[in-house]
Amino acid sequence: KPYLNRKEIAKYFGVAESTISYWATLGMPVANIDGRKLYGKQSITQWLKSKEEPKPEQNKKPLAIAVVKDK
């Protein structure tokens, strides 16, 4: 099923139902059909991915090692 109720979507993502409610307050997509809230697996997955922070990049500058010889 592409759309699930709150209990099902919580189980699908391995979180508490209260977490689903909280995510909805943060802007997670929710379909409201005849007063019934449904949650799309694909749209929520995309929403979660949009919230991911990029991994901190390591220093991209190459290390330069110089040898100085006395004349």
Side-chain angles (χ1 to χ4, degrees), residues 7-62:
K7 183 177 183 177
E8 293 168 329
I9 203 72
K11 185 175 181 179
Y12 178 80
F13 282 104
V15 298
E17 290 182 51
S18 59
T19 300
I20 298 300
S21 297
Y22 175 66
W23 288 353
T25 68
L26 297 177
M28 179 186 73
V30 179
N32 196 337
I33 309 296
D34 293 329
R36 187 171 176 220
K37 293 181 180 179
L38 295 175
Y39 305 86
K41 292 186 278 189
Q42 185 176 16
S43 59
I44 293 173
T45 299
Q46 290 173 346
W47 180 80
L48 287 170
K49 284 182 180 181
S50 77
K51 300 296 180 193
E52 289 180 3
E53 295 181 3
K55 290 182 181 179
E57 294 186 32
Q58 294 186 5
N59 188 354
K60 284 187 168 183
K61 295 179 182 178

